Amino acid sequence: MNLADTPAEAQFRKELRTWLAEVLPTLPPPPDDPNDWPARRAYDMGWQARLHEAGYAGIAWPVEVGGRGATPAEELIFLEETERVGAPYVGCGFVGNLHAGPTIATVGTDEQKARWLPPILRGENVWCQGFSEPDAGSDLASLRTRAVRDGDDYVVTGHKIWTSHAQVSDFCELLVRTDPDAPKHRGITWLVMPMDTPGIELQPLQTLTGVSDFCETFLDGVRIPVANRVGDENDGWRVAMVTFSFERGTAFVSELLGTRRLVADLRAVAESHGVWASDVSVRRELATVTAELDAQWALTKRNVSKAQREGTPGVGGSVFKLAYHHTRTRLGELALRVLGRAGLALDDPLGVSPAGLDHVEQRLYALSLSIAAGTAQIQRNIVGERLLGLPKER
Ligand SMILES: Cc1cc2nc3c(=O)[nH]c(=O)nc-3n(C[C@H](O)[C@H](O)[C@H](O)COP(=O)(O)OP(=O)(O)OC[C@H]3O[C@@H](n4cnc5c(N)ncnc54)[C@H](O)[C@@H]3O)c2cc1C
């Protein structure tokens, strides 16, 4: 991959900058209350609709399914430029745009693509992910939510957990067990569940920062049409691997760029607290974190360019996620050192952050990076077995 902009890429960057400069001042302010989910949905989908009108929705999705079909370099320019000016992030559109949609675009039938993908791109539908269960997280293939075929429907009963954004979702990418007698990876099916179907009950779960980011999802005799099955019956594990390759592949890249702003802000806080001048170890640690983020950005470019060649992202995303989690932990620990007593409370009580960022909340949030989209230990297993060729876990 050539890291300098070609004339066409420079033009793409220029047009994007012009559009962002025009559109950002016209956006409403983001909702104040992080627990006001309808307002959060409206804000995130409003941004998605703007992207769609301007031809930037589904930046890396294939043109045949309504995406922009951007090259890897253009996708990274898009992420860089939107992050540079603090444009909204994908928010509630995370699952639809970053992994359910791309899975359907890769594995779905033409009819399924035509039905589900355009409303995601237009910002009309929010999707959630119903994979994890109380006894099936890392060992996802042990999932027990049962789907029994009845005519043209599957009748689904079970219990999902950690379903992010479920309370404002229209559809759920759902893994169910269709053959309880088959070996565990072979009896699973990937379904699309409309969230207004009778028999679905949601119970919000609160996180450490006081926000109900996810729900427990109880399913009791939920009828899902067979036409909503993506891939074959009992072939859902293969489809789920496609989902994971997108989820772990590039879905966290914008975060990396956002973290650069966090670093710049922490430096300003360290300067205003006097520790920047007085404590060489703070300067050294911030430089190390900066270098690690630069390396991860280079790794991202490599991963995205490989994904373009091979059709779906590979296990490079696991390396990225492991490294990124490590760096965010390091940065969070440094932030607490720099903040001193102010690090004991949320909400920046001393008003120390010039950019209004909450470094304590960010430190707490970083804890979830070792769990979400597959835990750090599971990513290590993947890297060990699939990249390094080490013996398989028994
Ligand atoms: C912010 C966030 C958002 C999420 N959103 C969703 C969502 O929208 N939809 C969804 O379905 N799920 C979601 N999840 C759930 C997530 O996928 C699971 O939490 C994750 O897969 C881990 O499963 P678990 O919590 O059951 O932990 P467990 O699997 O019980 O793991 C417990 C501990 O044991 C370790 N461990 C387990 N097996 C092994 C092994 N073989 N080798 C070494 N160590 C092992 C783990 O690494 C971990 O430290 C979300 C999680 C978070 C944190």
Side-chain angles (χ1 to χ4, degrees):
M1 183 178 219
N2 183 353
L3 300 184
D5 284 357
T6 63
E9 286 159 7
Q11 180 62 22
F12 175 77
R13 194 186 288 277
K14 193 169 151 221
E15 283 170 13
L16 177 59
R17 276 190 184 181
T18 307
W19 178 71
L20 286 167
E22 277 165 19
V23 78
L24 289 188
T26 69
L27 292 184
D32 280 338
D33 178 1
N35 271 315
D36 185 349
W37 282 97
R40 284 181 68 172
R41 173 184 165 131
Y43 182 79
D44 295 341
M45 292 302 108
W47 173 242
Q48 180 66 29
R50 298 291 187 95
L51 289 174
H52 183 255
E53 282 158 20
Y56 292 114
I59 187 87
W61 290 22
V63 175
E64 312 81 82
V65 298
R68 189 180 172 107
T71 62
E74 285 169 346
E75 185 187 2
L76 295 176
I77 289 170
F78 176 82
L79 291 171
E80 249 177 349
E81 291 299 324
T82 48
E83 186 54 50
R84 192 179 58 83
V85 292
Y89 182 49
V90 67
C92 294
F94 188 91
V95 171
N97 280 280
L98 300 185
H99 53 89
T103 303
I104 292 165
T106 308
V107 185
T109 62
D110 288 345
E111 197 265 322
Q112 291 173 334
K113 291 176 196 172
R115 188 167 148 211
W116 288 314
L117 300 183
I120 295 177
L121 292 173
R122 291 195 296 263
E124 291 164 2
N125 283 166
V126 169
W127 285 59
C128 62
Q129 181 187 48
F131 281 17
S132 305
E133 297 183 4
D135 292 319
S138 301
D139 186 13
L140 184 61
S142 296
L143 63 91
R144 290 209 294 248
T145 292
R146 187 80 175 93
V148 178
R149 181 93 181 240
D150 181 24
D152 289 336
D153 291 336
Y154 289 105
V155 181
V156 180
T157 299
H159 178 186
K160 296 287 175 179
I161 194 166
W162 317 125
T163 324
S164 305
H165 311 144
Q167 57 274 60
V168 285
S169 288
D170 304 291
F171 293 97
C172 177
E173 50 173 10
L174 185 74
L175 288 183
V176 293
R177 184 154 303 284
T178 30
D179 184 352
D181 300 321
K184 64 180 183 178
H185 292 87
R186 303 231 180 94
I188 292 171
T189 299
W190 203 102
L191 298 178
V192 174
M193 177 171 75
M195 292 297 282
D196 58 359
T197 316
I200 304 175
E201 192 195 322
L202 300 176
Q203 294 210 350
L205 292 164
Q206 210 177 61
T207 67
L208 205 55
T209 54
V211 181
S212 295
D213 276 324
F214 23 52
C215 292
E216 276 191 90
T217 306
F218 298 92
L219 307 172
D220 184 9
V222 179
R223 295 191 83 90
I224 303 178
V226 173
N228 287 20
R229 188 184 70 216
V230 175
D232 291 335
E233 187 169 295
N234 298 326
D235 193 27
W237 190 251
R238 183 183 64 85
V239 184
M241 289 306 111
V242 175
T243 310
F244 281 142
S245 71
F246 286 107
E247 187 177 4
R248 293 166 185 169
T250 47
F252 286 88
V253 169
S254 286
E255 279 222 3
L256 168 70
L257 296 165
T259 300
R260 286 176 160 178
R261 264 197 292 151
L262 208 57
V263 170
D265 190 70
L266 186 61
R267 177 188 166 147
V269 173
E271 280 174 357
S272 67
H273 270 207
V275 284
W276 182 256
S278 66
D279 189 343
V280 67
S281 71
V282 167
R283 300 201 294 275
R284 195 178 292 133
E285 187 66 3
L286 214 55
T288 305
V289 165
T290 306
E292 285 182 4
L293 290 171
D294 282 350
Q296 286 154 29
W297 182 233
L299 179 65
T300 295
K301 289 178 174 168
R302 182 179 181 277
N303 287 345
V304 169
S305 131
K306 192 157 179 278
Q308 174 79 6
R309 278 200 312 277
E310 296 175 4
T312 52
V315 293
S318 292
V319 180
F320 167 79
K321 203 171 157 276
L322 266 176
Y324 177 60
H325 163 239
H326 168 84
T327 304
R328 281 297 303 257
T329 306
R330 199 165 180 164
L331 179 63
E333 289 305 305
L334 180 64
L336 295 187
R337 254 179 71 200
V338 168
L339 287 173
R341 280 191 359 189
L344 292 173
L346 284 166
D347 295 336
D348 188 16
L350 304 183
V352 289
S353 159
L357 299 172
D358 191 328
H359 288 277
V360 179
E361 188 184 305
Q362 288 294 328
R363 170 66 191 105
L364 296 176
Y365 162 75
L367 294 170
S368 74
L369 290 169
S370 70
I371 306 171
T375 69
Q377 288 80 5
I378 295 303
Q379 309 296 342
R380 284 195 181 90
N381 284 351
I382 292 172
V383 172
E385 291 171 14
R386 294 205 232 148
L387 265 184
L388 304 177
L390 297 175
K392 283 202 176 300
E393 188 190 18
R394 285 174 190 274

mmCIF file of all heavy atoms in Angstrom, residues 123-146:
data_model
loop_
_atom_site.group_PDB
_atom_site.id
_atom_site.type_symbol
_atom_site.label_atom_id
_atom_site.label_comp_id
_atom_site.label_asym_id
_atom_site.label_seq_id
_atom_site.Cartn_x
_atom_site.Cartn_y
_atom_site.Cartn_z
ATOM 1 N N GLY A 123 -30.045 5.015 7.176
ATOM 2 C CA GLY A 123 -30.204 5.415 8.583
ATOM 3 C C GLY A 123 -31.623 5.207 9.074
ATOM 4 O O GLY A 123 -32.074 5.902 9.986
ATOM 5 N N GLU A 124 -32.327 4.222 8.497
ATOM 6 C CA GLU A 124 -33.717 3.995 8.925
ATOM 7 C C GLU A 124 -33.831 2.838 9.911
ATOM 8 O O GLU A 124 -34.814 2.743 10.631
ATOM 9 C CB GLU A 124 -34.589 3.713 7.695
ATOM 10 C CG GLU A 124 -34.764 4.930 6.827
ATOM 11 C CD GLU A 124 -35.270 4.622 5.439
ATOM 12 O OE1 GLU A 124 -35.539 3.438 5.115
ATOM 13 O OE2 GLU A 124 -35.368 5.567 4.652
ATOM 14 N N ASN A 125 -32.869 1.929 9.878
ATOM 15 C CA ASN A 125 -32.952 0.751 10.748
ATOM 16 C C ASN A 125 -31.727 0.617 11.625
ATOM 17 O O ASN A 125 -30.598 0.782 11.167
ATOM 18 C CB ASN A 125 -33.074 -0.525 9.913
ATOM 19 C CG ASN A 125 -34.461 -0.735 9.348
ATOM 20 O OD1 ASN A 125 -34.653 -1.544 8.468
ATOM 21 N ND2 ASN A 125 -35.441 -0.006 9.842
ATOM 22 N N VAL A 126 -31.980 0.271 12.899
ATOM 23 C CA VAL A 126 -30.894 -0.031 13.833
ATOM 24 C C VAL A 126 -30.886 -1.538 14.073
ATOM 25 O O VAL A 126 -31.952 -2.155 14.192
ATOM 26 C CB VAL A 126 -31.114 0.735 15.155
ATOM 27 C CG1 VAL A 126 -30.181 0.249 16.247
ATOM 28 C CG2 VAL A 126 -30.925 2.231 14.934
ATOM 29 N N TRP A 127 -29.698 -2.104 14.129
ATOM 30 C CA TRP A 127 -29.548 -3.544 14.348
ATOM 31 C C TRP A 127 -28.808 -3.806 15.661
ATOM 32 O O TRP A 127 -28.000 -2.983 16.104
ATOM 33 C CB TRP A 127 -28.740 -4.171 13.208
ATOM 34 C CG TRP A 127 -29.513 -4.319 11.933
ATOM 35 C CD1 TRP A 127 -30.098 -3.318 11.219
ATOM 36 C CD2 TRP A 127 -29.792 -5.541 11.226
ATOM 37 N NE1 TRP A 127 -30.716 -3.833 10.107
ATOM 38 C CE2 TRP A 127 -30.550 -5.190 10.077
ATOM 39 C CE3 TRP A 127 -29.469 -6.876 11.429
ATOM 40 C CZ2 TRP A 127 -30.995 -6.139 9.162
ATOM 41 C CZ3 TRP A 127 -29.901 -7.826 10.507
ATOM 42 C CH2 TRP A 127 -30.665 -7.462 9.398
ATOM 43 N N CYS A 128 -29.105 -4.965 16.241
ATOM 44 C CA CYS A 128 -28.335 -5.386 17.407
ATOM 45 C C CYS A 128 -27.852 -6.825 17.186
ATOM 46 O O CYS A 128 -28.198 -7.457 16.177
ATOM 47 C CB CYS A 128 -29.157 -5.262 18.694
ATOM 48 S SG CYS A 128 -30.637 -6.283 18.735
ATOM 49 N N GLN A 129 -27.049 -7.297 18.143
ATOM 50 C CA GLN A 129 -26.433 -8.620 17.981
ATOM 51 C C GLN A 129 -26.853 -9.528 19.134
ATOM 52 O O GLN A 129 -26.545 -9.245 20.287
ATOM 53 C CB GLN A 129 -24.912 -8.477 17.979
ATOM 54 C CG GLN A 129 -24.166 -9.792 17.798
ATOM 55 C CD GLN A 129 -22.659 -9.614 17.967
ATOM 56 O OE1 GLN A 129 -22.215 -8.992 18.929
ATOM 57 N NE2 GLN A 129 -21.894 -10.152 17.038
ATOM 58 N N GLY A 130 -27.532 -10.616 18.812
ATOM 59 C CA GLY A 130 -27.950 -11.588 19.822
ATOM 60 C C GLY A 130 -27.134 -12.863 19.693
ATOM 61 O O GLY A 130 -27.629 -13.892 19.216
ATOM 62 N N PHE A 131 -25.870 -12.777 20.077
ATOM 63 C CA PHE A 131 -24.993 -13.956 20.034
ATOM 64 C C PHE A 131 -24.808 -14.524 21.448
ATOM 65 O O PHE A 131 -25.097 -15.677 21.710
ATOM 66 C CB PHE A 131 -23.616 -13.584 19.456
ATOM 67 C CG PHE A 131 -23.554 -13.467 17.949
ATOM 68 C CD1 PHE A 131 -24.705 -13.327 17.184
ATOM 69 C CD2 PHE A 131 -22.331 -13.486 17.278
ATOM 70 C CE1 PHE A 131 -24.644 -13.215 15.794
ATOM 71 C CE2 PHE A 131 -22.254 -13.380 15.889
ATOM 72 C CZ PHE A 131 -23.409 -13.235 15.155
ATOM 73 N N SER A 132 -24.291 -13.680 22.386
ATOM 74 C CA SER A 132 -23.899 -14.169 23.717
ATOM 75 C C SER A 132 -25.103 -14.637 24.536
ATOM 76 O O SER A 132 -26.200 -14.081 24.419
ATOM 77 C CB SER A 132 -23.209 -13.066 24.505
ATOM 78 O OG SER A 132 -22.135 -12.547 23.784
ATOM 79 N N GLU A 133 -24.843 -15.641 25.372
ATOM 80 C CA GLU A 133 -25.840 -16.123 26.327
ATOM 81 C C GLU A 133 -25.166 -16.210 27.694
ATOM 82 O O GLU A 133 -23.927 -16.199 27.782
ATOM 83 C CB GLU A 133 -26.354 -17.506 25.903
ATOM 84 C CG GLU A 133 -27.056 -17.456 24.559
ATOM 85 C CD GLU A 133 -27.645 -18.807 24.137
ATOM 86 O OE1 GLU A 133 -27.583 -19.791 24.914
ATOM 87 O OE2 GLU A 133 -28.165 -18.861 23.006
ATOM 88 N N PRO A 134 -25.964 -16.332 28.770
ATOM 89 C CA PRO A 134 -25.335 -16.391 30.097
ATOM 90 C C PRO A 134 -24.275 -17.498 30.195
ATOM 91 O O PRO A 134 -23.263 -17.321 30.858
ATOM 92 C CB PRO A 134 -26.512 -16.648 31.031
ATOM 93 C CG PRO A 134 -27.681 -16.044 30.312
ATOM 94 C CD PRO A 134 -27.427 -16.279 28.853
ATOM 95 N N ASP A 135 -24.479 -18.622 29.506
ATOM 96 C CA ASP A 135 -23.480 -19.696 29.566
ATOM 97 C C ASP A 135 -22.769 -19.919 28.240
ATOM 98 O O ASP A 135 -22.240 -21.001 27.981
ATOM 99 C CB ASP A 135 -24.148 -21.005 30.019
ATOM 100 C CG ASP A 135 -24.596 -20.912 31.462
ATOM 101 O OD1 ASP A 135 -23.844 -20.353 32.277
ATOM 102 O OD2 ASP A 135 -25.730 -21.352 31.756
ATOM 103 N N ALA A 136 -22.802 -18.930 27.392
ATOM 104 C CA ALA A 136 -22.109 -19.067 26.107
ATOM 105 C C ALA A 136 -21.599 -17.695 25.678
ATOM 106 O O ALA A 136 -22.314 -16.926 25.025
ATOM 107 C CB ALA A 136 -23.046 -19.641 25.043
ATOM 108 N N GLY A 137 -20.368 -17.369 26.104
ATOM 109 C CA GLY A 137 -19.739 -16.111 25.714
ATOM 110 C C GLY A 137 -18.519 -16.453 24.881
ATOM 111 O O GLY A 137 -18.598 -16.589 23.661
ATOM 112 N N SER A 138 -17.398 -16.675 25.563
ATOM 113 C CA SER A 138 -16.188 -17.099 24.833
ATOM 114 C C SER A 138 -16.445 -18.415 24.107
ATOM 115 O O SER A 138 -16.052 -18.600 22.959
ATOM 116 C CB SER A 138 -15.032 -17.292 25.813
ATOM 117 O OG SER A 138 -14.777 -16.109 26.498
ATOM 118 N N ASP A 139 -17.118 -19.321 24.798
ATOM 119 C CA ASP A 139 -17.457 -20.602 24.177
ATOM 120 C C ASP A 139 -18.832 -20.470 23.528
ATOM 121 O O ASP A 139 -19.809 -21.115 23.915
ATOM 122 C CB ASP A 139 -17.461 -21.688 25.248
ATOM 123 C CG ASP A 139 -17.665 -23.074 24.637
ATOM 124 O OD1 ASP A 139 -17.551 -23.186 23.398
ATOM 125 O OD2 ASP A 139 -17.963 -24.016 25.394
ATOM 126 N N LEU A 140 -18.879 -19.601 22.517
ATOM 127 C CA LEU A 140 -20.156 -19.239 21.906
ATOM 128 C C LEU A 140 -20.883 -20.448 21.306
ATOM 129 O O LEU A 140 -22.119 -20.512 21.302
ATOM 130 C CB LEU A 140 -19.886 -18.183 20.819
ATOM 131 C CG LEU A 140 -21.089 -17.587 20.114
ATOM 132 C CD1 LEU A 140 -22.001 -16.874 21.101
ATOM 133 C CD2 LEU A 140 -20.636 -16.620 19.026
ATOM 134 N N ALA A 141 -20.111 -21.424 20.832
ATOM 135 C CA ALA A 141 -20.735 -22.578 20.175
ATOM 136 C C ALA A 141 -21.561 -23.420 21.147
ATOM 137 O O ALA A 141 -22.286 -24.320 20.723
ATOM 138 C CB ALA A 141 -19.666 -23.429 19.502
ATOM 139 N N SER A 142 -21.471 -23.124 22.450
ATOM 140 C CA SER A 142 -22.307 -23.847 23.420
ATOM 141 C C SER A 142 -23.705 -23.238 23.542
ATOM 142 O O SER A 142 -24.472 -23.643 24.410
ATOM 143 C CB SER A 142 -21.685 -23.790 24.809
ATOM 144 O OG SER A 142 -20.468 -24.448 24.810
ATOM 145 N N LEU A 143 -24.021 -22.267 22.718
ATOM 146 C CA LEU A 143 -25.293 -21.562 22.885
ATOM 147 C C LEU A 143 -26.482 -22.528 22.835
ATOM 148 O O LEU A 143 -26.461 -23.539 22.134
ATOM 149 C CB LEU A 143 -25.433 -20.459 21.832
ATOM 150 C CG LEU A 143 -25.492 -20.837 20.361
ATOM 151 C CD1 LEU A 143 -26.915 -21.047 19.882
ATOM 152 C CD2 LEU A 143 -24.829 -19.762 19.523
ATOM 153 N N ARG A 144 -27.520 -22.170 23.628
ATOM 154 C CA ARG A 144 -28.642 -23.096 23.798
ATOM 155 C C ARG A 144 -29.974 -22.546 23.308
ATOM 156 O O ARG A 144 -30.967 -23.265 23.338
ATOM 157 C CB ARG A 144 -28.771 -23.445 25.281
ATOM 158 C CG ARG A 144 -27.622 -24.308 25.783
ATOM 159 C CD ARG A 144 -28.075 -25.177 26.921
ATOM 160 N NE ARG A 144 -28.428 -24.350 28.070
ATOM 161 C CZ ARG A 144 -27.748 -24.324 29.216
ATOM 162 N NH1 ARG A 144 -26.709 -25.107 29.358
ATOM 163 N NH2 ARG A 144 -28.115 -23.561 30.207
ATOM 164 N N THR A 145 -30.029 -21.274 22.924
ATOM 165 C CA THR A 145 -31.304 -20.726 22.439
ATOM 166 C C THR A 145 -31.785 -21.600 21.281
ATOM 167 O O THR A 145 -31.080 -21.780 20.291
ATOM 168 C CB THR A 145 -31.127 -19.251 22.006
ATOM 169 O OG1 THR A 145 -30.869 -18.487 23.179
ATOM 170 C CG2 THR A 145 -32.367 -18.725 21.314
ATOM 171 N N ARG A 146 -33.000 -22.135 21.433
ATOM 172 C CA ARG A 146 -33.449 -23.219 20.566
ATOM 173 C C ARG A 146 -34.382 -22.680 19.484
ATOM 174 O O ARG A 146 -35.258 -21.849 19.786
ATOM 175 C CB ARG A 146 -34.189 -24.211 21.475
ATOM 176 C CG ARG A 146 -34.616 -25.480 20.858
ATOM 177 C CD ARG A 146 -33.495 -26.488 20.763
ATOM 178 N NE ARG A 146 -34.088 -27.730 20.259
ATOM 179 C CZ ARG A 146 -34.133 -28.058 18.978
ATOM 180 N NH1 ARG A 146 -33.581 -27.287 18.058
ATOM 181 N NH2 ARG A 146 -34.699 -29.192 18.598
#
